[in-house]
Amino acid sequence: MSQSIHVIGHQQPDTDAITSALAHARLKQRQGVDAVPARAGELNPETEFVLDHWDVAPPSLLADATDEELILVDHNEHSQTVDGAREAAVVEVVDHHRIGDVTTSNPIRFRNEPVGSTATVLTGLFDEAGEEIDSQTAGLMISGLLSDTVVLRSPTTTDRDRVVAERLADIADVDYEEYGRTLLTQKSKLGEKSPREMVLGDFKEFEFGDTLVGIGQVETVSPDVVLDQRDSVIDAMDEVLDERSYDVFVMLVTDLLEEDSSVFVAGDHTETVAEALDTTFEDREAFLPGVMSRKKQVVPKLEEALR
Ligand SMILES: [Mn+2]
């Protein structure tokens, strides 16, 4: 095949998915690989801010990956890949999530590490390749790292993330606390979003055995903007659950300053979800003290309970 390899993150891309596609494509290009960054969906306001800030053009949209060659970053399960990925050849994976169901016909490079962001993993790949990280690339990667770890506050944050953050901030010449606070504000721009857009903004789909599960998350410094319209948000969840035939739909509203979450539920398994998350739903809403991470504090518990 003579076509370019697409480096692409998950659907409903977040900042780490986009900046990792950009940074890893740069690394591959320096190694002589014909790789181009791509995206599987629209940019969120935080990511738009990041690309604007670092003066980087957004990756182009790949609407259908059929017959393409793909490097997956920031995900490795089919329920989250670009459309057509089942008919594509996955030639490499760089990720920091649970191992999903992507299979290949040939051996590939598969790099997965339990750290706070794909950017952290990628920094290691630059080092191993002996490639220098320029300040713009460091700016992209520190953005993914700070966004995913909620400025190193999320329980997903590891010591390595802290070391890498210091180093990338140094190369990019930013104060990461200050820059991180700006990112949080951008992430919280919910004002102009409809309930449906809130529900689908940062959204992931999982297959736990035969159970199809959607888990959305809004991370914000002003959770009341969402909680005040809870009835419309839950209506939007019911609508999406119907359209996509989910068995369970859970949505976290994470308060980035208080470091806790409220959760809404839709579907048939409220009792199971309540038990898994060690909470009680009242009128389809519950409170999860200390919960900030979908990946670490919610997905494993739901998987165990629903599979
Ligand atoms: Mn990530």
Side-chain angles (χ1 to χ4, degrees):
M1 269 187 261
S2 60
Q3 64 199 10
S4 305
I5 300 173
H6 290 88
V7 185
I8 190 163
H10 51 82
Q11 295 199 41
Q12 277 87 38
D14 57 12
T15 296
D16 192 39
I18 295 291
T19 54
S20 294
L22 289 161
H24 194 39
R26 290 178 177 192
L27 175 59
K28 299 306 285 189
Q29 285 161 11
R30 283 205 226 154
Q31 294 175 318
V33 177
D34 179 13
V36 293
R39 60 185 165 91
E42 295 310 312
L43 302 178
N44 70 34
E46 181 196 59
T47 312
E48 276 176 359
F49 167 83
V50 165
L51 297 184
D52 192 52
H53 185 89
W54 297 100
D55 196 20
V56 177
S60 52
L61 181 72
L62 183 63
D64 183 352
T66 303
D67 294 336
E68 301 286 352
E69 288 191 305
L70 302 178
I71 295 176
L72 303 183
V73 291
D74 204 34
H75 71 304
N76 73 96
E77 48 196 304
H78 270 303
S79 57
Q80 297 167 14
T81 51
V82 58
D83 288 344
R86 284 179 196 278
E87 281 73 51
V90 173
V91 299
E92 184 177 333
V93 174
V94 181
D95 193 14
H96 69 127
H97 293 90
R98 68 183 202 137
I99 306 301
D101 58 357
V102 166
T103 56
T104 65
S105 40
N106 292 303
I108 63 164
R109 284 172 197 274
F110 188 105
R111 188 65 167 261
N112 193 292
E113 295 183 48
V115 292
S117 71
T118 298
T120 312
V121 183
L122 276 175
T123 303
L125 294 186
F126 271 87
D127 290 348
E128 286 168 26
E131 292 291 345
E132 206 178 305
I133 300 172
D134 61 64
S135 75
Q136 190 188 52
T137 306
L140 291 171
M141 292 202 290
I142 187 83
S143 306
L145 196 167
L146 294 175
S147 170
D148 261 28
T149 61
V150 192
V151 197
L152 308 177
R153 281 184 213 149
S154 162
T156 55
T157 311
T158 65
D159 287 344
R160 227 177 89 217
D161 295 306
R162 293 176 211 286
V163 172
V164 168
E166 295 270 4
R167 186 174 145 213
L168 291 177
D170 192 47
I171 300 171
D173 196 20
V174 290
D175 174 335
Y176 72 75
E177 273 297 336
E178 189 186 319
Y179 178 63
R181 242 174 289 130
T182 313
L183 288 189
L184 291 191
T185 316
Q186 294 296 328
K187 197 179 243 179
S188 302
K189 276 194 177 166
L190 296 169
E192 61 277 34
K193 281 197 182 171
S194 70
R196 189 184 168 89
E197 286 168 331
M198 288 180 194
V199 163
L200 291 176
D202 174 2
F203 181 81
K204 290 188 177 173
E205 202 177 285
F206 298 89
E207 287 176 40
F208 300 145
D210 292 331
T211 313
L212 194 55
V213 183
I215 309 179
Q217 183 173 30
V218 170
E219 295 173 294
T220 176
V221 295
S222 39
D224 287 347
V225 173
V226 187
L227 300 179
D228 287 350
Q229 22 179 344
R230 46 150 276 138
D231 291 345
S232 335
V233 172
I234 289 172
D235 284 349
M237 289 174 68
D238 286 340
E239 208 177 274
V240 171
L241 179 115
D242 262 12
E243 284 167 16
R244 303 187 179 183
S245 309
Y246 292 144
D247 299 294
V248 179
F249 189 176
V250 165
M251 181 170 153
L252 299 165
V253 182
T254 301
D255 185 330
L256 294 174
L257 298 179
E258 296 297 325
E259 306 187 11
D260 55 34
S261 296
S262 295
V263 57
F264 301 131
V265 67
D268 295 328
H269 301 280
T270 302
E271 276 312 311
T272 315
V273 172
E275 240 170 79
L277 298 178
D278 194 21
T279 189
T280 319
F281 283 95
E282 237 171 88
D283 207 6
R284 299 175 60 180
E285 180 177 343
F287 183 65
L288 303 174
V291 169
M292 297 185 83
S293 167
R294 168 172 49 197
K295 178 170 86 170
K296 194 161 187 167
Q297 296 169 294
V298 175
V299 172
K301 290 178 177 167
L302 290 185
E303 171 165 28
E304 204 190 328
L306 292 166
R307 188 179 272 281

